Amino acid sequence: MADWISRLPVHVTAYGPLHLLARRVHHLVDTGQAHEALAAVDAYLMIARSRHDEKTVRFLLQGRMYALLALGRVSDAFPLATALLEATGSAADRAKALCDLAHIHMLSGHYVDCLRNLARASVLLTSQPHGGDRHRSALCSYAEAATAAELYETAAAAYEHLRHRTSSFDLVHAVTLLYWGLRLAHVGRADEARTRLRRSAELTRAWLETNPDPTVTAAHALALAKLGETTIAEKLARPVVMELRAGGTHQYARMAHLALGISLRAHGYPHEARRELIAARDLTEAGARPDERPIIRFELALTALDLDAGPASRDLFETIEGQVRDLWRLRLQRLAMLRQARQREELEAARARAEQEILRDPLTGLGNRRRFDLLLDAVDPAGSGPLTLLLIDLDHFKAVNDAHSHSAGDRALRAVAAILRTHCRQGDEAVRYAGDEFVIFLRAEAPAGAEVGERIRAAVARADILADVHMTVSVGIATWRPGLTGEDLFQAADNRLYAAKWSGRNTLAA
């Protein structure tokens, strides 16, 4: 590592040199301090922008979006999600941004947009290497968005995949299984409910053995209460409920209230149970998951039957039960829609890959003549932006083929193509125009074109491409100016290449 890097006050990482600032913002959001997170973002953005640390800026804006969502300000979060999606680079980052946008669409009631973005993210995630931090982060966002859409099957599968690599996702996995189990119990699928609730309890029990925590205790108590282990559930939930309320950890406070309500009802105290369930319901005023309210309403309706088994209470319960079953059917429809959307995205991705193959030269991996024609046709005489064309020809290539065989010539072409690829920046594109001729569409003005052309010429001249053969290239360079068509630009570059050849080869003409 260079000496100047070792003297920096923080380590340089893939997330930007000031990434600890962004991590603090995300920690504040995760611990329920959304207002503090927003204040921190404003201060930290000034620092990151003054240091031109665009990666940290992006993660800070992501933290702002999450803080706004935590405060229920969905409409304010939407422009940030859109901007973050447009600014993504890698496939994993794009998948994460799509998931965050899907989450916001879900909270806004735009179910079709939510499922379409989830499907796009799913295809991106499955097409990329697994195991990196970015991939894990994107997969976590995928699971969170699926949870918001009540697609428990999808979310649980993602969390199961994540926990094979780290146990840090066990709690959110357990919570997903917990709500899934509660919903299954409410629609009469008791055996499936118990399977999910037991798995949730196993995860939280293992967590509590090494990390005692009131939030995990509340989730564990609720799973046990619904499994019928109400004495233990009450003993666990009672000491933590007020601590969770005082700390503003409302989701887990609702779990503790639910655990107490279910346990007290089972112990024959319906009035006390009703108070706990109403307390849980009242805490939803501060914002809740979409599936929490129907869960609380169903448990309240069950308690009302214990208080009064008359026709009115029975009618009320049947009404609530019908609503819960209707919501479950809507959930299953969303699950089917996601599968259909995923199939469409896979077909579209396959079509795009097929189109890319049609435009790819099989020998070198660069674009082929068809791709060249498309790029040249896209040159607009009225305004194409900065564009310099580099026309590159291998010197005496026919002699190489004749003396060393066509297979040796193919190796040489692949080696030169690799050199060209390394000198292309984002937005540039190299194509194989003909047998031993290549073209680079360089998104730059003439001075940069000449510099890149000279670097390529020098790189080929010093490369050990074939034994006992000194390979060189000649380069013709032309820069677009207003009024030039693609054909005009290519003809100018071809004329310069001809001049380079006549001036002795292994040179460039601009």
Side-chain angles (χ1 to χ4, degrees):
M1 181 179 288
D3 183 60
W4 69 270
I5 294 180
S6 65
R7 294 198 301 270
L8 285 173
V10 294
H11 294 297
V12 177
T13 75
Y15 299 98
L18 301 176
H19 76 286
L20 291 177
L21 301 181
R23 285 183 61 181
R24 172 164 169 73
V25 168
H26 285 253
H27 176 72
L28 288 170
V29 176
D30 292 341
T31 54
Q33 303 175 73
H35 289 291
E36 293 84 349
L38 289 177
V41 168
D42 291 337
Y44 295 161
L45 276 174
M46 293 178 62
I47 299 171
R49 283 172 172 155
S50 71
R51 307 310 302 164
H52 306 290
D53 183 0
E54 293 305 319
K55 289 183 178 179
T56 298
V57 168
R58 187 168 68 250
F59 286 117
L60 286 170
L61 292 176
Q62 189 182 74
R64 173 181 282 170
M65 177 185 69
Y66 292 148
L68 291 170
L69 287 176
L71 294 171
R73 295 167 57 182
V74 178
S75 60
D76 292 333
F78 179 78
L80 279 172
T82 304
L84 286 166
L85 177 60
E86 292 173 353
T88 54
S90 70
D93 287 344
R94 182 167 179 79
K96 183 175 179 64
L98 283 167
C99 292
D100 291 336
L101 190 57
H103 195 161
I104 291 172
H105 280 310
M106 182 65 208
L107 295 176
S108 305
H110 303 149
Y111 303 124
V112 174
D113 291 331
C114 167
L115 298 172
R116 183 172 62 245
N117 286 328
L118 269 181
R120 290 173 178 169
S122 175
V123 171
L124 283 172
L125 287 170
T126 54
S127 67
Q128 297 300 308
H130 297 180
D133 287 345
R134 297 286 183 86
H135 187 272
R136 282 194 294 271
S137 178
L139 193 57
C140 185
S141 287
Y142 179 74
E144 289 174 354
T147 300
E150 301 170 56
L151 305 175
Y152 304 114
E153 298 88 341
T154 303
Y159 285 130
E160 195 67 52
H161 185 82
L162 284 165
R163 76 179 303 272
H164 287 316
R165 289 160 175 79
T166 172
S167 62
S168 60
F169 295 99
D170 279 359
L171 180 56
V172 286
H173 186 193
V175 170
T176 298
L177 292 166
L178 174 61
Y179 285 112
W180 190 6
L182 289 167
R183 297 290 298 280
L184 283 164
H186 292 172
V187 295
R189 295 164 66 171
D191 291 341
E192 295 174 67
R194 293 184 70 83
T195 299
R196 272 70 180 185
L197 292 169
R198 283 198 192 100
R199 179 66 177 137
S200 177
E202 288 170 5
L203 290 170
T204 48
R205 184 182 294 112
W207 187 289
L208 287 171
E209 287 173 356
T210 55
N211 303 285
D213 184 274
T215 59
V216 186
T217 300
H220 189 60
L222 180 52
L224 292 180
K226 203 62 184 173
L227 284 167
E229 300 178 37
T230 52
T231 301
I232 301 173
E234 183 180 354
K235 190 176 294 186
L236 289 171
R238 196 170 292 283
V240 301
V241 65
M242 295 311 297
E243 179 183 353
L244 292 167
R245 289 181 67 103
T249 316
H250 292 147
Q251 180 181 0
Y252 293 93
R254 288 190 291 271
M255 291 183 196
H257 280 301
L258 271 169
L260 285 171
I262 293 168
S263 299
L264 288 167
R265 186 178 68 224
H267 295 159
Y269 301 104
H271 290 284
E272 292 81 353
R274 182 174 179 273
R275 281 199 296 270
E276 295 296 337
L277 295 171
I278 287 174
R281 184 189 65 188
D282 291 346
L283 281 179
T284 62
E285 299 294 328
R289 290 170 43 137
D291 50 2
E292 285 187 273
R293 290 185 177 90
I295 288 171
I296 295 170
R297 280 198 297 268
F298 190 90
E299 295 297 337
L300 270 169
L302 276 176
T303 306
L305 274 181
D306 274 8
L307 287 166
D308 177 12
S313 295
R314 175 59 60 184
D315 290 344
L316 172 63
F317 176 76
E318 289 176 356
T319 300
I320 296 296
E321 187 179 37
Q323 290 175 347
V324 166
R325 290 184 182 277
D326 288 342
L327 289 172
W328 186 261
R329 281 192 288 271
L330 289 173
R331 191 197 77 82
L332 293 176
Q333 288 174 12
R334 286 199 293 273
L335 190 62
M337 288 171 64
L338 177 61
R339 289 172 182 149
Q340 292 168 359
R342 168 70 191 257
Q343 290 171 354
R344 286 195 296 271
E345 291 298 324
E346 287 174 339
L347 288 172
E348 180 62 26
R351 185 192 63 78
R353 285 194 299 270
E355 287 184 353
Q356 286 298 110
E357 283 299 307
I358 292 172
L359 300 175
R360 189 177 70 90
D361 173 49
L363 176 65
T364 64
L366 301 179
N368 58 16
R369 176 58 187 266
R370 184 175 296 183
R371 179 60 178 162
F372 167 82
D373 290 339
L374 289 173
L375 290 169
L376 203 67
D377 289 344
V379 176
D380 184 356
S384 291
L387 176 63
T388 295
L389 217 61
L390 277 64
L391 185 53
I392 301 159
D393 185 79
L394 274 68
D395 296 327
H396 305 297
F397 184 69
K398 185 178 184 302
V400 171
N401 269 336
D402 293 343
H404 297 274
S405 81
H406 285 281
S407 62
D410 288 348
R411 290 201 305 275
L413 290 171
R414 284 194 293 267
V416 171
I419 292 172
L420 300 187
R421 195 180 290 110
T422 61
H423 287 83
C424 286
R425 307 158 304 173
Q426 187 172 4
D428 300 339
E429 188 165 351
V431 299
R432 184 185 178 196
Y433 168 70
D436 62 340
E437 287 187 308
F438 300 87
V439 178
I440 294 181
F441 289 78
L442 194 73
R443 301 297 169 182
E445 298 290 356
E451 183 180 338
V452 172
E454 175 55 27
R455 287 206 302 265
I456 290 171
R457 185 207 62 76
V460 174
R462 66 172 174 264
D464 186 16
I465 295 175
L466 293 175
D468 302 323
V469 178
H470 180 227
M471 298 206 66
T472 62
V473 294
S474 299
V475 185
I477 303 174
T479 299
W480 178 87
R481 61 180 184 275
L484 285 184
T485 65
E487 287 292 338
D488 295 335
L489 184 63
F490 178 72
Q491 187 60 54
D494 194 39
N495 291 339
R496 308 276 165 71
L497 176 63
Y498 186 75
K501 290 280 188 182
W502 273 98
S503 65
R505 294 182 170 83
N506 190 25
T507 187
L508 61 89

